[in-house]
């Protein structure tokens, strides 16, 4: 398994949320636990208010993060609120613990990194400017800024923060841009642009990997019946629209059964499904055929060939078995599936249609 330090926005915010609890612990040590509290000048009268408000905010954030995992809009709001809270809490803590000489000053670098992750270059510059303004104001209020060691500390700390902040932001932005680019290339290499499904290459990789690991699974290879007629009569745009909508149906339906759907090529599709009883597989097919029948603007008829990994460990032979059964399904009337026991699965609506045609 490849090790990576890259975290998406949700995982990053979880990390910062955890770090806040750590900093609350550190701040409590500085204010109340010897020898820290004995050697650092702190305002213990106001600190409890900051502590209570901070803990309440972090509890609310933890709950909101759990609920916002799939809600991108709520997640963005939590991210922005987190940056503002970090800024206010940091300035307040530093003001209560020796101002510009506060031992909590290094946390400012994390604050800049936090803003940079979500707001990029704008976030780095705004966070640096906001902290610098507050830091200078803190110096003017808490110390005699005309004394050399005071203004030297202030200017040196700010100079160091801007250098480290901008350099760290540059590296962070470059790494995230490279990751996004890598993800885009991976998407192009493994996803079919039209159906949105994994492509033939992805199928071969995952199919062969499962066989090599001796996993038990079902293989369904199928294609849309008479798809050429759809393109000829309704046009290729309609055909593309059907491929796109069918892809959505296949993906959602496969995931419901812990499987995967692939576009094999053209109007051909493949399902890799975990091992299941025949009754469950037939239920899978029943629902699939019903959903394809309801597609707009045209219903879809499909034939499938079925094979199981227990029949052979050779990938070419397993595909050939499913392909042969697909041919049997096509030859026997289409809109059906030829299973491993050579049994033909025919949807109920197709059986009804055949009975009416025989009358």
């Amino acid at each position: 398994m490849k090790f990576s330090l890259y975290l998406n926005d949700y995982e990053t915010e979880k990390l910062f949320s955890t770090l806040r609890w750590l900093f609350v612990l550190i701040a409590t040590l500085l204010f109340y636990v010897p020898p820290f509290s004995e050697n650092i000048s702190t305002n213990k009268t106001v600190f409890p208010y900051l502590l209570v408000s901070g803990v309440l905010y972090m509890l609310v954030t933890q709950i909101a993060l759990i609920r916002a995992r799939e809600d991108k809009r709520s997640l963005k709001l939590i991210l922005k609120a987190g940056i503002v809270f970090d800024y206010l809490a940091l300035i307040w803590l530093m003001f209560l613990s020796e101002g510009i000489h506060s031992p909590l000053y290094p946390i400012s670098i994390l604050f800049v990194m936090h803003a940079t992750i979500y707001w990029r270059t704008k976030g780095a510059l705004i966070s640096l400017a906001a902290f610098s303004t507050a830091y200078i104001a803190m110096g003017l209020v808490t110390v005699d800024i005309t004394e050399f060691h005071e203004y030297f500390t202030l200017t040196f700390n700010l100079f160091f923060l801007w250098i480290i902040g901008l350099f760290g932001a540059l590296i962070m932005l470059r790494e995230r841009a490279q990751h996004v680019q890598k993800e885009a290339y991976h998407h192009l290499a493994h996803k079919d642009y039209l159906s949105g499904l994994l492509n033939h290459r992805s199928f071969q990789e995952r199919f062969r990997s499962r066989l090599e690991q001796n996993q038990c699974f079902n293989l369904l290879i199928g294609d849309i019946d008479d798809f050429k007629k759809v393109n000829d009569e309704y046009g290729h745009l309609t055909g593309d629209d059907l491929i796109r909508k069918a892809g959505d149906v296949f993906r959602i339906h496969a995931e419901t059964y812990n499987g995967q759907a692939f576009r094999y090529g053209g109007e051909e599709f493949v399902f890799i499904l975990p091992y299941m009883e025949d009754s469950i597989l037939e239920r899978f097919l029943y629902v699939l055929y019903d959903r394809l029948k309801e597609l707009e603007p045209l219903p879809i008829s499909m034939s499938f060939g079925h094979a199981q990994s227990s029949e052979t460990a050779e990938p070419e032979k397993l595909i050939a078995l499913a392909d042969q059964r697909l041919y049997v399904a096509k030859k026997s009337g289409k809109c059906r599936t030829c299973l491993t026991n050579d049994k033909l699965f025919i949807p109920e609506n197709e059986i009804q249609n055949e009975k009416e045609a025989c009358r």
Side-chain angles (χ1 to χ4, degrees):
M1 183 177 180
K2 187 177 180 181
F3 176 72
S4 175
L5 289 175
Y6 178 81
L7 301 175
N8 60 32
D9 286 351
Y10 178 79
E11 293 167 335
T12 303
E13 192 57 30
K14 279 182 63 178
L15 175 60
F16 273 104
S17 183
T18 303
L19 287 174
R20 289 188 191 108
W21 290 105
L22 176 61
F23 294 141
V24 164
L25 176 61
I26 292 173
T28 304
L29 290 174
L30 293 179
F31 277 76
Y32 293 118
V33 180
F36 307 106
S37 60
E38 295 172 349
N39 293 279
I40 298 173
S41 300
T42 57
N43 186 328
K44 296 180 179 63
T45 304
V46 180
F47 177 71
Y49 298 102
L50 174 60
L51 181 62
V52 171
S53 60
V55 170
L56 288 175
Y57 169 81
M58 288 185 291
L59 286 173
V60 171
T61 302
Q62 292 284 152
I63 297 171
L65 268 176
I66 295 172
R67 296 183 177 180
R69 186 183 185 98
E70 304 299 332
D71 187 349
K72 293 184 178 180
R73 192 172 181 179
S74 298
L75 182 59
K76 286 183 178 179
L77 181 62
I78 293 172
L79 301 181
K80 293 177 181 178
I83 295 170
V84 174
F85 170 80
D86 290 346
Y87 172 72
L88 295 175
L90 176 60
I91 297 302
W92 195 356
L93 274 173
M94 289 181 61
F95 186 81
L96 297 178
S97 56
E98 300 190 352
I100 63 173
H101 300 287
S102 173
L104 298 173
Y105 173 80
I107 300 176
S108 61
I109 298 176
L110 279 177
F111 163 66
V112 174
M113 295 298 101
H114 195 183
T116 303
I117 289 173
Y118 306 124
W119 294 332
R120 303 183 184 276
T121 304
K122 179 176 68 175
L125 295 174
I126 291 176
S127 60
L128 284 167
F131 181 82
S132 298
T133 301
Y135 193 68
I136 292 171
M138 195 184 304
L140 293 172
V141 172
T142 59
V143 298
D144 184 357
I145 205 68
T146 60
E147 294 185 10
F148 173 77
H149 73 279
E150 301 292 1
Y151 70 74
F152 176 79
T153 298
L154 188 147
T155 55
F156 182 79
N157 282 349
L158 287 182
F159 174 77
F160 177 79
L161 177 65
W162 276 83
I163 294 296
I164 297 299
L166 290 176
F167 188 68
L170 176 65
I171 295 174
M172 184 180 298
L173 291 173
R174 185 185 66 180
E175 290 299 317
R176 288 179 74 87
Q178 288 179 346
H179 182 82
V180 170
Q181 190 177 50
K182 181 180 177 181
E183 288 290 305
Y185 287 147
H186 183 272
H187 179 85
L188 290 173
H190 291 83
K191 285 287 186 75
D192 173 61
Y193 76 97
L194 183 57
S195 66
L197 298 175
L198 295 166
N199 59 18
H200 187 103
R201 173 181 176 177
S202 292
F203 163 71
Q204 290 291 348
E205 290 176 355
R206 300 181 189 210
F207 170 65
R208 292 172 184 273
S209 175
R210 285 172 181 257
L211 284 176
E212 290 171 0
Q213 296 172 22
N214 295 318
Q215 294 184 18
C216 294
F217 62 90
N218 290 287
L219 179 68
L220 284 169
I221 296 180
D223 69 7
I224 301 175
D225 298 324
D226 303 315
F227 190 67
K228 186 176 183 302
K229 289 183 180 180
V230 174
N231 285 329
D232 291 343
E233 293 181 18
Y234 298 94
H236 285 83
L237 289 178
T238 299
D240 288 350
D241 190 38
L242 283 175
I243 292 288
R244 191 178 300 109
K245 291 177 178 177
D248 289 337
V249 170
F250 295 151
R251 176 179 52 79
I252 295 171
H253 193 49
E255 289 174 354
T256 303
Y257 287 78
N258 296 319
Q260 292 177 307
F262 307 82
R263 188 181 182 191
Y264 199 70
E267 67 271 24
E268 291 184 295
F269 298 87
V270 182
F271 288 97
I272 294 180
L273 303 169
Y275 174 79
M276 57 185 70
E277 298 294 332
D278 291 344
S279 58
I280 300 177
L281 179 60
E282 290 184 7
R283 189 194 313 154
F284 172 89
L285 292 168
Y286 270 124
V287 177
L288 179 62
Y289 277 114
D290 281 344
R291 291 182 179 177
L292 293 177
K293 184 180 65 175
E294 296 171 356
L295 277 185
E296 296 289 344
L298 297 169
I300 285 179
S301 166
M302 287 194 70
S303 301
F304 289 96
H306 174 225
Q308 288 184 329
S309 58
S310 57
E311 295 182 89
T312 176
E314 297 183 38
E316 290 78 10
K317 287 186 178 180
L318 190 59
I319 291 175
L321 283 172
D323 210 35
Q324 289 168 13
R325 289 166 184 152
L326 170 60
Y327 176 76
V328 172
K330 288 280 190 184
K331 192 175 179 181
S332 64
K334 302 178 183 179
C335 195
R336 60 202 64 199
T337 300
C338 182
L339 302 172
T340 53
N341 54 9
D342 294 327
K343 173 186 174 182
L344 284 175
F345 172 86
I346 306 174
E348 290 181 354
N349 62 298
E350 187 63 20
I351 295 174
Q352 184 64 30
N353 291 340
E354 290 183 0
K355 286 182 179 179
E356 291 177 357
C358 293
R359 289 175 183 173

